[in-house]
Amino acid sequence: MQWTVGLQNVLNKCDSFYLPGSTRQLSKPFVLDSQCVGRIPPNVVEQLRNYPQTFQLEMDNAGCITNVSLNEKLITFEDRTKAVDAVMKDLRDKNIFPCLNGWRDEMYKVSRTYTSNPLFNMERSATSLLGIRQYGIHLNGFYIDKTNNDVVMWIGRRSRTKATFPGKLDNIAAGGISVGYNVSETFIKECAEEASLPEELAKRAISTGALTYYYEDDRGYFPETQFVYDLELPADFTPINSDGEVETFYPMKLEEVVERIANDEFKPNSALSIIDFLIRRGYFKPDDENYMHIVTVLHRDLD
């Protein structure tokens, strides 16, 4: 299987924080309890000046902003969550940042790492404004065509009413890890909601590791970690969506999947999980010219 310009373009979308033209050098660390828990785009920093009761801008001797924190009076988990939520709702109501138009009423935890204690909770759609780490699960669901031993992958098309990436192709199941769920619980939930995968079948999935990547777009910063699973499905299984977030499913041979990724038909981070699948299955070789670059982008150090 050959690496193409189209595949590289998809990889670049998920690595844009590190590429020329990003605002990385202008961003400011978001520091809380002596821990860097995010990075804030320059246009967001300017807006946070208007909320001194919640956000505190640290300055050096020259009067330049060095980092952003929360007001030192906000000590408890509850006070921090409430104060930040009020600011984000005010910014939403002022229609300043497009990401807040997709308000979900779904909370993500804010912490240094996935296993660290949460410092506060935050509305999912707003996390990109503070560059908060986001976590999710992705499932590569496939079966083997016994007539020719081809690998056939089940691919979903996202609902055209989705707030993000409407109508794009996607994994059979994927989703973010919200407050109150761990990785395994999120995986079982998303399998059931998105593809009607019975729990006993979903539990056969093999955890294959995690992808870490960092991108920037008009919504803000996205340092993301995706826990990836592979599941070989029975040849007679057909996924059925149950939560209205998937329009339809297609069985696709890997060659068609790769072609559609290169044609920019996939949600970018879902394409990453499939590229990872192809690497692990040997479709891309260590001696290929771009191999180490691909692996590096799939496993960025988010610090």
Side-chain angles (χ1 to χ4, degrees), residues 139-164:
L139 172 64
N140 296 304
F142 65 96
Y143 66 91
I144 306 299
D145 184 341
K146 300 300 183 182
T147 62
N148 50 25
N149 287 324
D150 282 347
V151 175
V152 180
M153 188 170 279
W154 278 107
I155 300 297
R157 184 175 297 282
R158 294 166 67 85
S159 168
R160 297 175 199 275
T161 62
K162 289 277 289 182
T164 57

Side-chain angles (χ1 to χ4, degrees), residues 28 45 49 57-68:
K28 301 302 178 185
V45 173
R49 290 179 183 271
L57 278 56
E58 306 288 347
M59 307 283 190
D60 61 17
N61 292 334
C64 298
I65 299 171
T66 57
N67 62 70
V68 178

Side-chain angles (χ1 to χ4, degrees), residues 91-110:
L91 291 170
R92 177 195 63 185
D93 295 343
K94 291 176 178 176
N95 199 29
I96 293 175
F97 296 113
C99 63
L100 300 179
N101 295 332
W103 195 274
R104 295 172 178 253
D105 287 319
E106 179 182 351
M107 300 297 262
Y108 274 8
K109 73 172 186 176
V110 176

Side-chain angles (χ1 to χ4, degrees), residues 48-168:
L48 298 185
R49 290 179 183 271
N50 300 320
Y51 302 93
Q53 292 183 328
T54 300
F55 289 95
Q56 184 171 299
L57 278 56
E58 306 288 347
M59 307 283 190
D60 61 17
N61 292 334
C64 298
I65 299 171
T66 57
N67 62 70
V68 178
S69 186
L70 293 183
N71 189 299
E72 59 186 10
K73 294 180 180 179
L74 297 173
I75 299 173
T76 68
F77 176 95
E78 291 77 13
D79 286 346
R80 290 169 172 177
T81 298
K82 183 177 179 180
V84 172
D85 196 53
V87 170
M88 296 304 154
K89 285 178 177 175
D90 189 58
L91 291 170
R92 177 195 63 185
D93 295 343
K94 291 176 178 176
N95 199 29
I96 293 175
F97 296 113
C99 63
L100 300 179
N101 295 332
W103 195 274
R104 295 172 178 253
D105 287 319
E106 179 182 351
M107 300 297 262
Y108 274 8
K109 73 172 186 176
V110 176
S111 59
R112 180 73 181 85
T113 67
Y114 177 72
T115 56
S116 301
N117 290 329
L119 303 175
F120 65 94
N121 289 338
M122 186 176 182
E123 158 63 28
R124 175 177 178 173
S125 67
T127 52
S128 60
L129 298 180
L130 303 185
I132 302 302
R133 292 188 182 190
Q134 301 184 29
Y135 301 88
I137 64 93
H138 279 251
L139 172 64
N140 296 304
F142 65 96
Y143 66 91
I144 306 299
D145 184 341
K146 300 300 183 182
T147 62
N148 50 25
N149 287 324
D150 282 347
V151 175
V152 180
M153 188 170 279
W154 278 107
I155 300 297
R157 184 175 297 282
R158 294 166 67 85
S159 168
R160 297 175 199 275
T161 62
K162 289 277 289 182
T164 57
F165 304 101
K168 288 286 190 179

Side-chain angles (χ1 to χ4, degrees), residues 188-206:
I188 295 298
K189 177 175 74 72
E190 294 296 336
C191 284
E193 292 177 354
E194 297 200 347
S196 299
L197 267 167
E199 183 172 345
E200 61 272 18
L201 181 55
K203 285 183 175 179
R204 299 180 193 171
I206 298 172

